[in-house]
Amino acid sequence: MTEEAQEQSFERYWLARKAVAAYELSEKFEDEQSFSTASSNSASRVTNLTIDPSEACVQAVLTGKTYIIKYISDYAKAFRNVPATFVTSRTLETLFTTGEGGSMATQQPPVTDKERFNEIIRCIETAFPVRYRARLASRLTELEKAVQEEEMDGRGISITSLHHFVEFLKTYPVLRCPAVSVTPERNIYASWKSGTDRVFSIHFLADGNVRFVIFCPNRVHPGEAIRLSGTATADVLMSVAAPHGVLDWATDERTAGSGF
Amino acid sequence: MKGQPVPDSDHVARYCKAMTVENGEIQPTAFMMRQTEVYLSVNWLEELKCPDRAAQITELQKLYATKLKVGATARIAVLNVGTLRVKVERESPDRRVLPILHEPIIPDDPSHAGIYGILYDDREIIAELIAQVVLDNHPAQASRPAA
C-alpha cells in the first residue's frame, strides 16, 4: 500500500470511528491512545462506509460489524472529506448543504438552539483533542446554564459565536484549552494567558469576525510590554498573532513549536 | 452626590455574573458593557458606610439579592479606584482616563457609581486591563447558614 493510500485508509477509519463514537458504540474499538497512533493495518479494518440520504444515516462496517448511525448535522464537516469513491450511494453534496462557514449541514437543520448547542458539545466530546475535550465540553455546558439562568429570557450562548469558536479550535488543535467566558452579547470570549504581560484573548462575534487583544513582552525593552487590539476574520487571526509570540504561552509545552 | 468623583483612595465593587467567572477567577468579560450602556455599573464601597470590608460585602450581597437573579458562582470584584485609573491610563494605547463618578439610585441603591470612558469599540482591551487589577473577589450570593 502506498503512503498516500495508507493515509486515506487511516482517514476513513478515523471518520468512521468518530461517527460510531458519536453514539457511544465505540467500546469495540481500540482505546484512545492506541487509536491516535494506529497504523495502516488498523485502517484496513474499514470494509465499507456508506452515506444514505434517504435514510439520513451513516453506515460503517468495521471488523465485520455494522453500525447504523443517525445523521448528525455537526458531523457534516467530518464526513465532508470522505473521498467520493468511498460513498456508495449518492454524492456527499446531496446529503449536506454547506452553509456559511463551510461546515454546518442545512438539509435537516436543528429545530432549536438547544439542539444545535448539544450537537456542538457532542462534536467536542468526540472529535476534539483528548487532553481537553471533557473539560471544554463541561465548561461550555456550565456557561450555557449560567447564561440561561442569569439573562432571564432563557436563551443561551450565541450559537453562531460558539460555532466560530469551535471551528477556530478545530483549525488550531495545537492550542491549549483556553479560559472561556461569555460577553454581555452572549458571545464566546476565549483567553490564553501567562502572567499579566502574556495575554491572547479572542472575542468571537456572531458574524464570524473576531476582536482580539494581545499583550506580549517587549523583547527590545525588558520590563515593557506591547499591547494591541483589533478586528480580523478568524481565518487570518493566527497569522496576525503568531509573530507576537502568542504560541509561546497559548500552546501546550509538548506541542509548542508546531508551526503556523 | 450624583456626579461626584470617587476618590482614588476609595474602592468600587463590580457584580460579576457567573458567565464571566471561571473557577472563581473573574474574567475580562465581567468588565464589558452592553452597547446601550454609557458606563460600567459599580458600587462605591465607602459610601455604604459599613465598618469593614466584610460588612460591605454582606451589604452588597443583600442588595444584589433584591435586584438580580444571583448565580451560584457569581462573584464580587473589588477594585481600588486609583490603581484602576492609573493602570488604564498608563497601559491603554490611547492613555485613557476613566472618570469614576457617583451615580446614586435613590432609594434602592445609593452607593451606585459608574466607570465612564469605556468605549464599546475597544471594550476588550480596557476590560483586560481592569481585570488585572482586581484587588480581591467574594461570592455574590450570601452563604446560607448551616441547617
Side-chain angles (χ1 to χ4, degrees):
Chain A
M1 190 181 279
T2 66
E3 195 174 326
E4 189 182 5
Q6 283 180 3
E7 221 169 74
Q8 280 191 352
S9 292
F10 181 73
E11 185 184 26
R12 290 170 200 156
Y13 167 76
W14 186 41
L15 292 169
R17 197 264 182 214
K18 284 204 295 188
V20 171
Y23 270 73
E24 299 175 348
L25 299 171
S26 61
E27 68 275 10
K28 302 296 183 193
F29 284 74
E30 299 101 332
D31 62 32
E32 201 59 49
Q33 284 192 332
S34 65
F35 166 70
S36 65
T37 56
S39 68
S40 57
N41 291 336
S42 302
S44 67
R45 296 167 55 163
V46 180
T47 57
N48 194 11
L49 175 65
T50 62
I51 300 176
D52 183 346
S54 61
E55 297 295 328
C57 71
V58 175
Q59 175 178 301
V61 181
L62 297 112
T63 60
K65 293 181 181 178
T66 301
Y67 296 93
I68 305 292
I69 301 130
K70 287 180 185 171
Y71 160 59
I72 312 165
S73 69
D74 201 49
Y75 276 81
K77 184 168 186 177
F79 288 105
R80 187 180 56 183
N81 297 325
V82 175
T85 54
F86 216 58
V87 180
T88 58
S89 53
R90 298 181 208 172
T91 61
L92 204 58
E93 287 73 20
T94 307
L95 179 59
F96 300 122
T97 305
T98 304
E100 188 186 353
S103 67
M104 283 296 212
T106 56
Q107 182 172 348
Q108 290 192 333
V111 177
T112 64
D113 279 355
K114 185 182 178 187
E115 286 173 342
R116 295 177 71 191
F117 178 84
N118 290 339
E119 285 168 10
I120 292 173
I121 295 299
R122 269 201 298 274
C123 175
I124 291 168
E125 288 173 338
T126 53
F128 266 53
V130 177
R131 66 184 191 279
Y132 71 71
R133 60 168 66 158
R135 183 154 53 104
L136 182 62
S138 166
R139 173 63 180 155
L140 291 172
T141 303
E142 172 185 285
L143 281 171
E144 175 79 347
K145 191 178 165 201
V147 174
Q148 288 170 343
E149 284 177 0
E150 290 179 316
E151 295 299 297
M152 307 292 194
D153 60 7
R155 290 192 298 118
I157 297 168
S158 158
I159 289 295
T160 46
S161 170
L162 178 62
H163 169 73
H164 295 305
F165 165 63
V166 168
E167 288 296 306
F168 181 82
L169 289 184
K170 269 190 201 171
T171 306
Y172 302 105
V174 70
L175 294 171
R176 63 181 167 81
C177 189
V180 187
S181 57
V182 178
T183 70
E185 299 88 3
R186 307 174 195 229
N187 294 332
I188 292 288
Y189 192 83
S191 293
W192 294 263
K193 293 180 184 177
S194 178
T196 57
D197 63 350
R198 289 177 173 81
V199 173
F200 178 39
S201 295
I202 310 172
H203 181 174
F204 290 88
L205 304 177
D207 65 3
N209 287 327
V210 295
R211 294 178 52 81
F212 63 91
V213 175
I214 298 171
F215 295 173
C216 60
N218 183 333
R219 293 192 176 111
V220 178
H221 301 283
E224 295 292 320
I226 294 168
R227 299 179 191 86
L228 57 109
S229 63
T231 306
T233 52
D235 57 342
V236 302
L237 177 59
M238 287 311 293
S239 63
V240 174
H244 296 285
V246 300
L247 297 174
D248 293 347
W249 69 88
T251 56
D252 285 322
E253 276 182 37
R254 58 192 165 81
T255 53
S258 300
F260 277 93
Chain B
M1 187 178 67
K2 182 174 169 59
Q4 177 189 352
V6 179
D8 281 356
S9 56
D10 283 5
H11 300 82
V12 292
R14 166 79 175 164
Y15 173 73
C16 305
K17 293 180 177 180
M19 66 190 201
T20 66
V21 176
E22 180 163 2
N23 296 325
E25 188 181 337
I26 294 165
Q27 301 298 313
T29 43
F31 305 104
M32 290 182 189
M33 300 186 312
R34 294 177 194 276
Q35 194 163 11
T36 52
E37 294 173 327
V38 293
Y39 58 77
L40 191 72
S41 279
V42 290
N43 283 91
W44 182 0
L45 290 182
E46 283 74 8
E47 188 64 17
L48 289 166
K49 316 288 187 201
C50 295
D52 55 28
R53 179 60 48 78
Q56 291 167 347
I57 297 302
T58 302
E59 197 61 30
L60 281 183
Q61 289 169 337
K62 285 183 200 166
L63 174 69
Y64 296 154
T66 64
K67 291 175 65 178
L68 306 163
K69 187 170 183 183
V70 180
T73 57
R75 308 290 293 184
I76 300 170
V78 175
L79 302 139
N80 172 261
V81 170
T83 305
L84 185 163
R85 283 161 46 81
V86 168
K87 172 84 174 178
V88 174
E89 188 174 357
R90 282 192 184 156
E91 299 187 4
S92 59
D94 60 355
R95 308 272 177 188
R96 187 79 51 87
V97 176
L98 300 183
I100 302 179
L101 308 177
H102 193 199
E103 293 289 346
I105 299 171
I106 305 296
D108 299 333
D109 193 358
S111 69
H112 187 255
I115 302 177
Y116 285 82
I118 304 172
L119 305 177
Y120 184 73
D121 288 342
D122 65 3
R123 60 202 181 280
E124 291 88 358
I125 194 164
I126 302 297
E128 290 280 354
L129 293 171
I130 296 174
Q132 290 191 350
V133 290
V134 171
L135 198 59
D136 49 54
N137 82 69
H138 307 267
Q141 207 173 58
S143 55
R144 293 176 184 169

